[in-house]
Amino acid sequence: MRIADGPIFEKLFREYYSHLCNYAGQFIADSQTREDIVQVFFISVWEKEHLSVTRETFLPYAYRAIKNSCINYYKSEMIKEDFITFLAEEWKDQLNEEEDFIYQKEVQQALQKLPEKCRNVFLLKCVTELKYKEIAEVSNISVNTVKYHLGEAFRIMREELKHLTFLFFLFFF
């Protein structure tokens, strides 16, 4: 089946658009950005005249393309100085959503004590829930460097929050 055929394309768009936007939501918090990524995906599918997929292979193809687009979005955002501030704010918002989480101030203060690279990797892991390899791609560092920075971040957070050890293990593990 050729996706660039009008009726087939329209059916796939109607059937999967919102589903793919929700999938992109696993990586991107902003709904407009998610929609933009999915729309660009469908435009690229439309423009690929020789793309031939079956109904069974379309969704895995779409998932991979959307995930890669989300990673590319983060790569482009890493260039902006305020991106890590954005991640920190997003993480803060997640903490604020936890009504019973009375130690959010302590966690935020501990986060500020992390070295910049550790904080960046830590936020990419905790906010976006990217895998080590994906964090390495986004940050242009090796997987081993990601592991090192995460280890350091957890060590420092554990030290800074040692008076809340019980909470730390519940929250981070």
Side-chain angles (χ1 to χ4, degrees):
M1 124 175 117
R2 280 197 45 216
I3 293 182
D5 292 336
I8 294 170
F9 178 83
E10 184 177 345
K11 182 175 180 170
L12 289 171
F13 182 84
R14 289 185 189 279
E15 188 172 337
Y16 292 116
Y17 177 79
S18 63
H19 177 75
L20 291 173
C21 286
N22 289 336
Y23 175 70
Q26 294 177 9
F27 309 103
I28 307 289
D30 180 61
S31 63
Q32 185 61 51
T33 303
R34 290 191 307 252
E35 289 179 19
D36 290 347
I37 286 172
V38 174
Q39 288 173 6
V40 167
F41 164 73
F42 274 105
I43 289 169
S44 71
V45 165
W46 177 258
E47 291 174 343
K48 292 179 181 174
E49 294 180 19
H50 301 292
L51 181 64
S52 180
V53 295
T54 65
R55 188 158 183 76
E56 293 79 29
T57 61
F58 176 75
L59 204 51
Y61 172 77
Y63 284 152
R64 191 68 192 152
I66 297 295
K67 185 175 185 178
N68 286 341
S69 294
C70 291
I71 290 171
N72 289 337
Y73 168 77
Y74 278 117
K75 281 182 181 179
S76 69
E77 288 296 306
M78 290 297 284
I79 295 169
K80 298 178 184 175
E81 288 182 23
D82 62 342
F83 176 64
I84 296 303
T85 303
F86 165 76
L87 281 181
E89 287 300 314
E90 190 169 318
W91 199 53
K92 181 180 174 182
D93 291 345
Q94 287 177 0
L95 290 177
N96 288 337
E97 288 174 6
E98 297 291 328
E99 295 174 9
D100 297 332
F101 190 68
I102 59 175
Y103 300 108
Q104 69 185 27
K105 182 178 179 183
E106 288 87 348
V107 172
Q108 290 169 359
Q109 288 173 343
L111 179 66
Q112 294 306 314
K113 293 186 179 181
L114 294 177
E116 182 180 354
K117 289 182 180 182
C118 288
R119 183 173 50 247
N120 295 353
V121 170
F122 181 81
L123 288 170
L124 283 169
K125 180 67 177 161
C126 292
V127 176
T128 65
E129 298 179 2
L130 293 176
K131 294 181 171 91
Y132 288 3
K133 183 178 178 185
E134 295 164 338
I135 294 170
E137 290 174 13
V138 168
S139 304
N140 291 321
I141 58 177
S142 72
V143 172
N144 285 337
T145 304
V146 169
K147 291 177 183 178
Y148 168 78
H149 286 306
L150 279 175
E152 279 297 295
F154 282 115
R155 183 188 63 75
I156 292 168
M157 293 292 281
R158 193 170 29 254
E159 179 63 30
E160 292 297 319
L161 300 171
K162 65 184 170 191
H163 61 287
L164 305 173
T165 304
F166 164 73
L167 169 71
F168 182 77
F169 285 108
L170 285 179
F171 188 70
F172 291 109
F173 296 103

